[in-house]
Amino acid sequence: MPGNPWFSWSYVVDNAPLIWQRTVEHAGLTIEAVAISAAIAIPLGALVSRSRWLAGPVLGTAAVMYTVPSLALFAILAPLLGIGRTPVLVGLVVYALLIILRNTVAGLSTVDPAVTDAARGLGYGPGRLLVQVAMPSALPSIIAGLRLATVSTVALVTVGIVVGYGGLGQLMFQGFRNNFYRAEIMTATLATIALALVLDLALWAVGRLLTPWLRGRAS
């Protein structure tokens, strides 16, 4: 329809403060959810890598929670935690947990046994071995998990609109309610994609800074 274009620059200019507000909400919720998930998953992955019998129950539980559809999970959490930011945050943490946990366990499992044996021979205890040997070796896999979790979380935040807090998803939903206003829907969609790209590139840059030995190997 001529009066309902897929993109309208005038809409962006007129609604820039609102778009920016929703983008900041979206980014803040994503970063907080991934940070909480990482704070849980990385130590848990280290524990699982040292106690192999825990791998099945821990990863299995995380996988089961991950398979719950997002709409259903938010609907379950809403009566327990209320409407708004809290149930969305809890749901996002649940979904990001498996991705980071699995990559942490995978990264720690690839540490060269010869390296750990040499470190033990030099007097490294379990804690020092984990922090100074195992974690640096697993860091590329952990960063990859953080990047994947972040991108998927950016997408899932939009679903949070079902419990009243969805960042840019609120603009999308509003566009559907406003007689399918295409410019509003498309602007929110493009902003979501841009946010995912920005956060992914930021984590990639952090990973490059934290793993200088990989840059030297690549060159």
Side-chain angles (χ1 to χ4, degrees):
M1 300 184 333
N4 189 17
W6 277 110
F7 185 79
S8 170
W9 184 248
S10 63
Y11 167 79
V12 175
V13 173
D14 293 341
N15 296 274
L18 178 60
I19 296 170
W20 177 250
Q21 177 189 345
R22 297 305 186 205
T23 302
V24 170
E25 290 175 358
H26 205 117
L29 191 57
T30 298
I31 293 169
E32 186 177 354
V34 173
I36 293 173
S37 295
I40 298 171
I42 294 175
L44 191 58
L47 177 63
V48 166
S49 68
R50 293 183 60 183
S51 304
R52 290 293 179 180
W53 63 272
L54 285 173
V58 171
L59 290 172
T61 301
V64 168
M65 292 190 297
Y66 187 82
T67 60
V68 177
S70 56
L71 287 173
L73 181 60
F74 290 143
I76 292 170
L77 291 173
L80 301 175
L81 302 175
I83 298 296
R85 193 175 192 275
T86 302
V88 180
L89 178 61
V90 172
L92 295 175
V93 169
V94 168
Y95 285 120
L97 194 64
L98 174 65
I99 300 172
I100 302 172
L101 176 61
R102 187 170 52 194
N103 276 58
T104 300
V105 173
L108 290 172
S109 68
T110 61
V111 179
D112 190 345
V115 175
T116 57
D117 289 341
R120 290 192 186 96
L122 293 172
Y124 281 45
R128 189 180 177 191
L129 186 66
L130 175 65
V131 173
Q132 298 186 4
V133 177
M135 278 299 179
S137 298
L139 196 55
S141 180
I142 295 173
I143 294 295
L146 289 172
R147 291 176 64 185
L148 181 57
T150 299
V151 171
S152 63
T153 300
V154 170
L156 282 171
V157 169
T158 59
V159 186
I161 187 60
V162 299
V163 289
Y165 198 96
L168 290 164
Q170 291 172 250
L171 290 182
M172 295 181 193
F173 181 72
Q174 186 175 317
F176 282 108
R177 292 187 62 185
N178 292 339
N179 296 319
F180 195 73
Y181 185 28
R182 295 175 178 177
E184 192 168 19
I185 298 169
M186 181 58 70
T187 300
T189 301
L190 293 176
T192 302
I193 295 171
L195 178 61
L197 289 174
V198 168
L199 293 178
D200 184 54
L201 286 173
L203 284 172
W204 172 82
V206 170
R208 291 271 293 177
L209 289 173
L210 294 178
T211 55
W213 60 89
L214 293 181
R215 298 200 302 272
R217 188 183 305 171
S219 61

